[in-house]
Amino acid sequence: MATAENEYTLDTVRETLVRQEDTIVFGLIERSKFPFNSQTYDQNYLQIPGFCGSLVEFVFTNTEIVQAKAGRYKNPEENPFFPENLSLSLVPSYPFTKFLHPGAASININKSLWKMYFHDLLPLFVASGDDGNYAQTAASDLSLLQAIFKRVHYGKFVAEVKFRESPQDYEPLIRSKDKEGLMKLLTFKSVEEMVKKRVEKKATLFGQDISLNSSDDSKGKQKFDPSVASKLYEKWVIPLTKEVQVEYLLRRLD
């Protein structure tokens, strides 16, 4: 976490993005321990007075309420899924750097990420079935989705750094509301390919069963398919991060 404005540079934001890869890959591995457990997402499963929704929504909502009271969302790098439900922070404020343009606060693509995660991503890598561990399943969903959510919205910081480094390249496109031009300027295919290869390699290494016996037959056995990490970045994390960057830049001169 940066505490001074000059700590947000292209190098530091890249380092942060690389560290976030670790969290996401470990989150994928943790979630893969459980089968789909459809009751976790069944709107009719949970019977709690005063609450309407699934178990995973209950866990998300109440966790974010507690984390908000503890001051988590005072940090501009943190974004809640359900901002409408948050309580005020109960802890002393910390003077976080005001690095982003004020328009950043209005950018939140939680609905797109929520839909992607439960409808598209989960079926790619969790087994069908039910083992009854619904609370544990919801908790692993929470950790993984928060990590993905933070990674995608960190695009605001990437966009701000890039804008400050080359305002002359971005300002004409921003003034003309040229989304396509901004997207093209932000896209580096070689970098994207490198990121996809790196996360798949991490998933291969992190998801491998380790044995101290070099002759163990289980050596190299994978806990889950490492290509899922690459697909996650290719199909959703990278495109949605760029979408956040474009939306941020379009507000940058307001």
Side-chain angles (χ1 to χ4, degrees), residues 2-243:
T3 56
E5 188 160 326
N6 60 8
E7 289 186 26
Y8 285 110
T9 66
L10 276 178
D11 287 338
T12 61
V13 297
R14 284 170 182 156
E15 289 171 4
T16 297
L17 294 175
V18 170
R19 290 196 302 271
Q20 289 174 356
E21 293 169 4
D22 300 351
T23 307
I24 290 172
V25 170
F26 278 120
L28 289 167
I29 295 170
E30 287 299 305
R31 179 59 184 87
S32 70
K33 291 179 180 179
F34 305 103
F36 190 77
N37 283 337
S38 61
Q39 296 280 48
T40 311
Y41 317 112
D42 188 342
Q43 297 287 323
N44 299 315
Y45 170 71
L46 203 60
Q47 302 294 325
I48 296 180
F51 183 84
C52 181
S54 65
L55 176 60
V56 74
E57 290 170 319
F58 179 79
V59 170
F60 263 83
T61 300
N62 285 278
T63 300
E64 287 195 337
I65 288 172
V66 171
Q67 291 178 339
K69 289 180 179 179
R72 176 171 185 168
Y73 302 110
K74 290 292 186 180
N75 184 338
E77 295 182 12
E78 301 287 349
N79 296 269
F81 267 90
F82 302 110
E84 66 276 8
N85 298 326
L86 299 187
S87 303
L88 294 175
S89 173
L90 302 179
V91 301
S93 296
Y94 181 86
F96 289 104
T97 301
K98 297 186 182 301
F99 181 72
L100 298 177
H101 185 276
S106 64
I107 301 170
N108 186 315
I109 61 169
N110 53 6
K111 291 182 180 179
S112 296
L113 286 166
W114 186 271
K115 181 179 179 181
M116 172 279 291
Y117 181 83
F118 293 108
H119 292 273
D120 301 315
L121 179 61
L122 278 184
L124 281 180
F125 76 101
V126 297
S128 59
D130 188 318
D131 66 0
N133 289 306
Y134 308 139
Q136 297 93 323
T137 297
S140 63
D141 285 329
L142 170 68
S143 297
L144 177 53
L145 249 178
Q146 283 186 327
I148 294 172
F149 198 52
K150 183 172 184 175
R151 166 60 173 82
V152 169
H153 286 87
Y154 202 77
K156 302 174 191 177
F157 290 87
V158 178
E160 178 64 23
V161 168
K162 289 182 176 180
F163 176 84
R164 293 191 185 196
E165 288 212 340
S166 305
Q168 70 281 358
D169 295 333
Y170 289 96
E171 287 187 7
L173 297 172
I174 295 171
R175 296 187 191 282
S176 62
K177 306 294 184 184
D178 186 351
K179 289 187 177 183
E180 186 176 340
L182 286 169
M183 185 65 74
K184 185 176 180 180
L185 192 58
L186 293 165
T187 300
F188 296 91
K189 289 294 184 182
S190 60
V191 174
E192 293 176 8
E193 288 300 318
M194 179 183 66
V195 170
K196 289 187 292 182
K197 290 178 180 177
R198 185 170 62 230
V199 294
E200 182 165 349
K201 186 172 183 179
K202 287 181 178 182
T204 301
L205 294 172
F206 298 167
Q208 186 174 325
D209 285 333
I210 303 299
S211 173
L212 297 179
N213 183 355
S214 60
S215 63
D216 195 318
D217 291 337
S218 67
K219 183 180 179 182
K221 182 180 178 182
Q222 294 294 317
K223 297 183 177 72
F224 89 119
D225 180 1
S227 69
V228 171
S230 179
K231 290 176 185 175
L232 168 60
Y233 269 75
E234 178 181 15
K235 296 183 69 175
W236 298 295
V237 170
I238 292 173
L240 290 173
T241 299
K242 289 194 291 186
E243 180 181 319

